[in-house]
């Protein structure tokens, strides 16, 4: 089973949204800057590892640079300063690595999002699929997807989506893009 690219994109976007907070903690000389950076790196590493994305090693390498700075000779204050200097020197490279991973996945999701929007507009125009609020939303989304798969005029779009995304991702995109007012 393919892993969810939709979830991957969401998780990586969330990590990038957290990044300005790390930069701000450096700017404010927050004593927890190193801890925040290491936590961010480790959680980013975990995401990339889950999806077997090779850039996981690059993120681990950044983490190792910060750890290595802690092991240098000197007094306690100098050790902390060395770590801060090392971490601050690689901040741009850290976020750029995650952004580089995210970009092609995000582009692919956005292209599929456009196809889903078109399929939903065409489906809504048929007035054959009516939303019933008393039924679970997920069931309605699945019914829409089955309709798209079964209609000759829509099937090519469905095949294109299936060639790029898992069915779970397609259902999440439909759920994300559907305007229920079009189906009432």
């Amino acid at each position: 089973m393919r892993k969810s690219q939709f979830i991957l994109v969401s998780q990586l976007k969330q990590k990038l949204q957290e990044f300005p907070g790390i930069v701000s903690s450096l700017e404010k000389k927050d004593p927890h800057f190193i801890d925040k950076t290491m936590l961010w790196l480790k959680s980013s590493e975990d995401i990339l590892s889950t999806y077997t994305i090779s850039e996981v090693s690059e993120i681990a390498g950044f983490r190792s640079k910060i750890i290595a700075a802690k092991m240098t000779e000197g007094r306690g204050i100098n050790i902390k300063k060395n770590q801060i200097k090392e971490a601050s020197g690689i901040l741009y490279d850290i976020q750029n690595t995650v952004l580089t991973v995210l970009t092609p996945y995000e582009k692919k999701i956005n292209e599929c999002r456009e196809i889903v929007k078109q399929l939903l507009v065409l489906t809504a125009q048929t007035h054959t699929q009516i939303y019933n609020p008393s039924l679970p939303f997920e069931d309605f989304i699945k019914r829409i997807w089955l309709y798209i798969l079964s209609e000759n005029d829509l099937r090519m779009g469905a095949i294109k989506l299936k060639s790029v995304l898992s069915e779970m991702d397609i259902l999440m995109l439909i759920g994300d893009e559907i305007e229920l007012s079009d189906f009432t």
Side-chain angles (χ1 to χ4, degrees):
M1 186 167 132
R2 290 193 283 186
K3 292 182 178 144
S4 173
Q5 294 179 50
F6 186 87
I7 293 172
L8 172 64
V9 166
S10 297
Q11 289 176 333
L12 292 179
K13 279 181 156 182
Q14 179 184 349
K15 294 312 305 169
L16 289 174
Q17 291 296 318
E18 294 169 6
F19 203 76
I22 291 172
V23 174
S24 293
S25 71
L26 171 64
E27 181 181 34
K28 295 174 184 171
K29 298 182 180 179
D30 180 346
H32 301 289
F33 164 71
I34 295 297
D35 296 332
K36 289 177 181 178
T37 304
M38 293 297 279
L39 184 63
W40 191 91
L41 282 167
K42 184 63 178 128
S43 61
S44 298
E45 200 176 309
D46 291 344
I47 293 167
L48 298 178
S49 178
T50 298
Y51 287 86
T52 59
I53 296 172
S54 60
E55 282 83 349
V56 66
S57 63
E58 198 168 344
I59 297 295
F62 291 131
R63 211 163 46 90
S64 73
K65 285 183 173 186
I66 297 170
I67 292 168
K70 186 177 186 177
M71 297 176 184
T72 58
E73 299 288 325
R75 299 184 328 247
I77 293 174
N78 287 339
I79 291 172
K80 189 73 168 175
K81 282 184 179 180
N82 286 342
Q83 271 194 299
I84 292 170
K85 182 178 179 183
E86 185 63 45
S88 63
I90 59 176
L91 278 180
Y92 175 80
D93 295 331
I94 291 169
Q95 69 79 30
N96 193 50
T97 299
V98 173
L99 183 62
T100 300
V101 170
L102 170 64
T103 302
Y105 288 101
E106 186 176 36
K107 183 178 184 232
K108 193 182 315 181
I109 290 289
N110 287 339
E111 288 170 359
C112 290
R113 189 176 296 279
E114 290 305 312
I115 294 169
V116 165
K117 286 178 185 177
Q118 293 169 9
L119 291 171
L120 287 172
V121 165
L122 294 171
T123 301
Q125 289 174 353
T126 67
H127 302 291
T128 59
Q129 304 301 310
I130 306 299
Y131 177 65
N132 181 349
S134 65
L135 296 175
F137 179 71
E138 293 80 19
D139 291 349
F140 179 65
I141 296 303
K142 287 177 185 172
R143 195 172 85 217
I144 293 288
W145 176 237
L146 290 174
Y147 176 79
I148 290 169
L149 286 169
S150 68
E151 279 299 307
N152 283 335
D153 295 342
L154 306 177
R155 192 174 296 131
M156 288 309 295
I159 290 169
K160 172 74 173 148
L161 289 173
K162 286 178 76 170
S163 71
V164 177
L165 298 176
S166 69
E167 188 156 320
M168 181 177 73
D169 282 345
I170 294 167
L171 293 172
M172 285 191 280
L173 271 177
I174 291 171
D176 224 24
E177 291 301 324
I178 197 164
E179 290 292 335
L180 290 179
S181 60
D182 294 344
F183 292 90
T184 52

